[in-house]
Amino acid sequence: MSNLQRLRERLKQGFYLDNLYEMAGLCKSLALDTPSPAPYFFMRNIFLDIARHWEEVPLPVEEAEQVESKMIEPLEELVERLEAGASVEEVFNLLNRVVSAYLISFK
Amino acid sequence: MVTSSILELGLNTESAEKIREIANEVGAFLQGDFTLSSGRKSGHYFDGKKVTLSPEGAYWVGKAIFDELKEIDVDAIGGLAIGADPIVSAVALVSHLEGKPIPSFIVRDERKEHGTKRKIEGHLQEGYRVVIVDDVITTGGSVIKAIEAAEEAGCEVVKVIVIVDRHEGGSDKLKDKGYDFTSILHLWPSGEVTVVESSAVAGEIKARLLPR
């Protein structure tokens, strides 16, 4: 299984601390293994940022699910299109959706 | 037999009951629907830092753990940041006041920043006999990371102590690996908090259910 496939499987498991760090680690490996690391670098930092928000604090299920509901779909679409070898422009637009979802979730 | 089981656990129940009382006073035991770091959902959450960062809580945690260690040959006490930070400081301070100083160290989980290794800050040397502490144990992930860091540094983990055992597999995992594990308080899946673990073997101790 490739790291991109592992990332896709991990996204299905949802947002919780251990999984966010696992996904960040996968993104780092992916970034190091490609001539186009930017999308993986961005995703890694978003996962780490969310993890830092939730580290060592009580995390209500409702809050975690609200963030998931905003972010999982654009992330899954980005990962799917990266797997399919999408164009730079398409990846950029999808990354913008991910970043927007993150900014809305943690404004 | 109640007395011998308490002694077997090595806990000063006065300290443990005081910590339970403080935990309730500072609102450390929360009820609700929480997502734990492992992804598991729970109706209860123990916010250890509310205890360990309170002046009285810090004192009693430091005292309880120091009392547990004063008859043992220990070179240092440490744990994973940030839950262990106030605990090791409290123990170090009490140990100094008691005339048996125990230096402390912190394990930083570099996974959070660089995704590579863990870094140890403070006083740790190869060959040290160390105690690993944490505020709470659930699946055991954080405690195991601290243990691994200490063992990778060439130290022997002689004891593991936490404030609250949530009885969700972590403590059993450590005991199965042969670590000497102790918890000050027990938070059961039902939400009850006890000081002394029920003795399932002899059946002679009942868990004392203390009001929360």
Side-chain angles (χ1 to χ4, degrees):
Chain A
M1 188 184 279
S2 70
N3 278 338
L4 209 43
Q5 288 167 329
R6 286 192 184 92
L7 180 59
R8 191 156 33 84
E9 289 305 308
R10 283 272 170 191
L11 276 170
K12 287 179 189 162
Q13 293 176 32
F15 279 12
Y16 54 93
L17 214 54
D18 289 353
N19 202 36
L20 287 163
Y21 283 123
E22 287 294 332
M23 291 193 288
L26 286 169
C27 287
K28 182 175 178 181
S29 298
L30 286 160
L32 289 169
D33 201 30
T34 173
S36 303
Y40 305 108
F41 183 81
F42 271 100
M43 281 194 283
R44 171 180 179 263
N45 281 284
I46 284 172
F47 292 138
L48 287 178
D49 243 25
I50 297 171
R52 285 189 204 109
H53 273 293
W54 290 346
E55 190 82 57
E56 305 271 353
V57 296
L59 175 60
V61 168
E62 190 182 340
E63 180 180 333
E65 288 179 348
Q66 272 177 7
V67 174
E68 273 181 24
S69 69
K70 292 186 175 71
M71 296 210 58
I72 295 281
E73 192 237 318
L75 279 163
E76 283 180 335
E77 193 175 349
L78 173 59
V79 171
E80 185 193 313
R81 295 310 295 151
L82 283 166
E83 242 180 322
S87 68
V88 168
E89 186 177 352
E90 186 182 359
V91 167
F92 185 74
N93 289 334
L94 290 168
L95 200 47
N96 270 332
R97 281 190 60 210
V98 169
V99 172
S100 295
Y102 166 74
L103 290 172
I104 288 168
S105 299
F106 291 97
K107 59 184 172 187
Chain B
M1 284 305 292
V2 170
T3 303
S4 70
S5 292
I6 292 172
L7 288 175
E8 178 187 341
L9 291 168
L11 288 169
N12 179 319
T13 53
E14 183 203 359
S15 297
E17 290 193 24
K18 193 66 189 171
I19 291 166
R20 182 205 58 81
E21 183 186 312
I22 292 166
N24 281 330
E25 280 171 7
V26 298
F29 289 111
L30 303 173
Q31 283 188 310
D33 290 317
F34 301 103
T35 300
L36 305 182
S37 59
S38 63
R40 293 167 68 156
K41 309 288 192 281
S42 175
H44 314 283
Y45 186 90
F46 173 65
D47 189 352
K49 286 181 290 304
K50 281 201 153 72
V51 175
T52 59
L53 290 172
S54 80
E56 198 179 4
Y59 168 71
W60 284 102
V61 166
K63 181 178 178 350
I65 294 174
F66 175 77
D67 286 346
E68 182 72 6
L69 303 180
K70 58 189 177 187
E71 306 299 329
I72 302 173
D73 178 18
V74 169
D75 297 306
I77 185 167
L80 198 73
I82 57 175
D85 295 22
I87 300 174
V88 303
S89 295
V91 175
L93 179 58
V94 169
S95 74
H96 169 72
L97 294 172
E98 295 285 340
K100 192 194 175 209
I102 302 175
S104 58
F105 64 93
I106 286 295
V107 179
R108 278 172 41 189
D109 191 355
E110 293 277 278
R111 172 185 74 152
K112 298 177 186 181
E113 302 292 338
H114 305 294
T116 52
K117 58 188 187 304
R118 299 174 193 119
K119 187 175 174 183
I120 293 177
E121 312 260 13
H123 302 278
L124 191 69
Q125 291 178 25
E126 188 177 350
Y128 265 17
R129 289 166 53 87
V130 303
V131 176
I132 298 295
V133 294
D134 210 338
D135 50 1
V136 63
I137 186 168
T138 310
T139 58
S142 296
V143 172
I144 288 172
K145 280 177 205 154
I147 290 172
E148 286 174 348
E151 290 177 344
E152 280 164 16
C155 299
E156 180 190 356
V157 175
V158 298
K159 203 161 181 68
V160 180
I161 303 175
V162 301
I163 298 177
V164 168
D165 183 356
R166 290 184 58 112
H167 290 278
E168 294 194 25
S171 50
D172 290 335
K173 204 182 292 182
L174 292 180
K175 290 172 191 169
D176 288 346
K177 287 176 182 281
Y179 292 104
D180 182 358
F181 174 85
T182 299
S183 173
I184 297 175
L185 300 174
H186 302 268
L187 173 57
W188 301 95
S190 63
E192 290 159 342
V193 179
T194 61
V195 167
V196 177
E197 184 175 354
S198 290
S199 169
V201 176
E204 288 172 1
I205 294 180
K206 283 186 182 178
R208 282 191 285 126
L209 301 179
L210 301 171
R212 291 208 294 126

